[in-house]
């Protein structure tokens, strides 16, 4: 209905204009017996009306085509939106199925772990019982061995005591004779020593004076050389310490840069494997991860945060299996036990 009114109004206006033009032209013609000029004026006016009507019809058809094109583009846009919505729904369904599968695997792993722990406890109890039996048997054996050893020791001590008494008597006689000989030798030696000491003292006094002077001179020279050497060693030590401090600072900066780089790589790996939903927006979880030197995840423990984010983070780490680590042993030692803050991105 709107299309019809859009066409009728321009046509009516154009027809009215041209009819008015025809009437004006007709009124301006001389009504004497001259029919030829009247025909010459009317023919172009009618032709002009027909041409304008054709232009109006063309314009109307163009507007209709543009409207149809707009409607077609809108239908295509709606279809594209519906297709994307369906794809998003299917993706969410796949993610939910994956989370459910991971949860089932986790529960099955917990059951298997519990069974293994129970079997280990039973084995430990049995092992403890066998160990107690072995300890008791060993204690009995040691007791019997100790009793036998006590008897042997008593017999041996009696024999040793007899030998000690005989040796003591022989030693006492030998000591008496030795003391007599030593007393005689000491008396003779005391006299010789007294004579020698008097002569040696005179020589020693003279030598002591010469040695004292030589030592004083040597000490002064040694002190000067030691002072110069100590100063040189201190200068070398200061230079070496400054060089080592600069080198250590450079290495620390490099190591911190490496740590930051690999920490970001680990977070990116976890983010790629992280299954998220809208309830996790703006929430975080702190995870502690232990890594082998090849990046294999030895263990991961949540330290606190949103429960949903923590479960998704542990699942992402389990799915990754390995995380990026530096080939540098020093950097690895700084990162083998690392705490990460996992925050879902949307």
């Amino acid at each position: 209905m709107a299309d019809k009114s859009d066409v009728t109004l321009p046509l009516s206006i154009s027809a009215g204009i041209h009819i008015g033009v025809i009437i004006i032209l007709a009124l301006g013609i001389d009504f004497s017996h001259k029919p030829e000029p009247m025909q010459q004026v009317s023919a172009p006016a009618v032709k002009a009306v027909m041409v304008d009507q054709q232009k109006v019809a063309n314009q109307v058809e163009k507007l209709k085509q543009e409207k149809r094109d707009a409607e077609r583009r809108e239908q295509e846009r709606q279809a594209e939106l519906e297709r994307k919505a369906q794809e998003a729904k299917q993706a969410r369904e796949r993610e939910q199925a994956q989370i459910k599968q991971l949860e089932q695997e986790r529960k099955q792993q917990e059951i298997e772990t519990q069974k293994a722990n129970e079997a280990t406890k039973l084995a430990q109890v049995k092992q403890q019982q066998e160990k107690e039996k072995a300890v008791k048997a060993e204690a009995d054996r040691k007791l019997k061995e100790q009793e036998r050893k006590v008897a042997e020791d008593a017999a041996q001590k009696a024999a040793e005591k007899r030998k000690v008494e005989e040796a003591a008597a022989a030693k006492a006689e030998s000591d008496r004779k030795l003391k007599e000989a030593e007393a005689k030798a000491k008396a003779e030696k005391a006299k010789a020593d007294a004579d020698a000491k008097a002569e040696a003292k005179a020589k020693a006094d003279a030598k002591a004076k010469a040695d004292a002077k030589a030592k004083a001179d040597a000490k002064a020279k040694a002190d000067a050389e030691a002072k110069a050497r100590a100063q040189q060693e201190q200068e070398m030590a200061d230079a070496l310490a400054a060089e080592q401090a600069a080198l250590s600072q450079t290495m620390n900066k490099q190591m911190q840069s490496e740590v930051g780089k690999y920490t970001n790589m680990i977070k990116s790996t976890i983010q790629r494997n992280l299954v998220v939903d809208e309830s996790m927006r703006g929430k975080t979880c702190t995870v502690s991860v232990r890594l082998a030197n090849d990046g294999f995840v030895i263990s991961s423990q949540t330290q606190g945060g949103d429960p949903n984010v923590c479960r998704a983070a542990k699942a992402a780490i389990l799915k990754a299996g390995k995380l990026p680590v530096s080939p540098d042993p020093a950097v690895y030692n700084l990162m083998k036990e690392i705490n990460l803050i996992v925050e879902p991105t949307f």
Side-chain angles (χ1 to χ4, degrees):
M1 187 67 180
D3 293 340
K4 186 175 181 181
S5 63
D6 292 341
V7 174
T8 304
L9 180 60
L11 287 175
S12 300
I13 295 172
S14 177
I17 294 172
H18 287 88
I19 290 170
V21 171
I22 292 171
I23 292 172
I24 293 171
L25 292 173
L27 293 175
I29 297 173
D30 186 6
F31 289 95
S32 60
H33 298 285
K34 296 178 180 179
E36 291 80 1
M38 180 65 183
Q39 292 176 357
Q40 291 176 357
V41 173
S42 298
V46 173
K47 183 177 181 181
V49 171
M50 292 179 63
V51 171
D52 288 344
Q53 289 177 347
Q54 183 64 37
K55 287 183 180 180
V56 170
N58 291 340
Q59 184 65 24
V60 169
E61 182 62 27
K62 181 179 178 182
L63 292 172
K64 287 183 177 180
Q65 184 63 36
E66 290 177 352
K67 183 177 181 181
R68 287 195 295 271
D69 291 342
E71 291 176 348
R72 178 180 54 77
R73 286 194 297 271
E74 179 62 21
Q75 291 174 355
E76 291 175 352
R77 187 179 72 82
Q78 292 292 337
E80 179 65 15
L81 290 175
E82 291 177 359
R83 184 184 66 78
K84 289 183 178 179
Q86 184 65 23
E87 290 179 353
K89 180 181 178 182
Q90 293 174 353
R92 287 195 300 272
E93 291 175 351
R94 289 195 297 271
E95 290 174 356
Q96 293 297 329
Q98 185 178 13
I99 292 173
K100 184 176 180 181
Q101 178 66 25
L102 289 173
E103 183 64 19
Q104 291 176 350
E105 292 176 358
R106 182 188 67 78
K107 290 181 178 179
Q108 182 63 30
Q109 186 175 6
E110 288 179 352
I111 293 172
E112 293 175 356
T113 301
Q114 185 177 2
K115 290 180 179 179
N117 290 338
E118 291 175 354
T120 301
K121 288 180 180 179
L122 290 175
Q124 289 176 347
V125 170
K126 185 176 179 180
Q127 184 179 5
Q128 182 65 25
Q129 291 175 348
E130 293 176 353
K131 184 177 179 181
E132 290 174 355
K133 289 180 181 179
V135 169
K136 186 176 181 302
E138 180 66 14
D140 294 341
R141 185 191 66 78
K142 288 183 177 180
L143 180 60
K144 291 180 180 179
E145 180 67 19
Q146 186 176 5
E147 291 174 350
R148 183 187 62 78
K149 188 175 181 182
V150 167
E152 291 179 352
D153 289 345
Q156 184 177 358
K157 286 179 180 178
E160 290 176 351
K161 183 178 180 182
R162 186 175 63 254
K163 289 181 181 180
V164 168
E165 290 173 351
E166 293 174 353
K171 186 175 183 299
E173 180 63 19
S174 176
D175 289 344
R176 185 185 64 78
K177 292 179 180 180
L178 181 61
K179 286 179 181 180
E180 290 178 353
E182 287 178 350
K184 184 178 180 181
K186 282 181 179 180
E188 294 175 352
K189 185 175 182 298
K191 184 177 182 302
D193 288 343
D195 295 340
K197 282 181 180 180
E199 183 179 357
K201 185 176 184 303
K203 291 180 179 179
D205 290 342
K207 187 175 182 300
K209 290 180 181 180
D211 290 344
K213 185 177 182 305
K215 285 181 180 179
D217 295 341
K219 184 176 183 302
K221 183 179 179 181
D223 290 343
E225 292 177 351
K227 184 176 180 181
R229 186 167 52 253
Q231 184 177 0
Q232 185 178 6
E233 290 176 352
Q234 184 62 42
E235 292 175 353
M236 293 176 64
D238 292 342
L240 181 60
E243 183 178 355
Q244 289 179 344
L247 180 60
S248 176
Q249 185 176 6
T250 301
M251 292 180 65
N252 285 336
K253 288 182 179 178
Q254 292 176 350
M255 289 181 66
Q256 290 301 323
S257 175
E258 285 291 299
V259 168
K261 181 178 75 175
Y262 279 93
T263 298
N264 290 334
M265 291 170 65
I266 289 172
K267 287 184 177 180
S268 296
T269 301
I270 294 174
Q271 286 289 351
R272 285 197 301 272
N273 292 280
L274 194 66
V275 179
V276 300
D277 58 49
E278 190 62 30
S279 66
M280 300 179 186
R281 184 180 294 275
K283 299 176 181 178
T284 64
C285 177
T286 301
V287 183
S288 176
V289 182
R290 291 184 61 200
L291 300 173
N293 56 8
D294 63 348
F296 179 77
V297 178
I298 299 174
S299 67
S300 62
Q301 297 292 332
T302 57
Q303 302 297 324
D306 181 72
N308 292 334
V309 178
C310 289
R311 281 195 293 272
K314 289 200 69 174
I317 293 170
L318 179 64
K319 183 178 179 181
K322 283 188 175 183
L323 297 175
V325 294
S326 173
D328 188 341
V331 178
Y332 163 73
N333 285 333
L334 293 176
M335 300 185 64
K336 62 184 179 181
E337 294 185 4
I338 184 171
N339 290 331
L340 301 170
I341 297 177
V342 178
E343 181 176 3
T345 56
F346 293 84

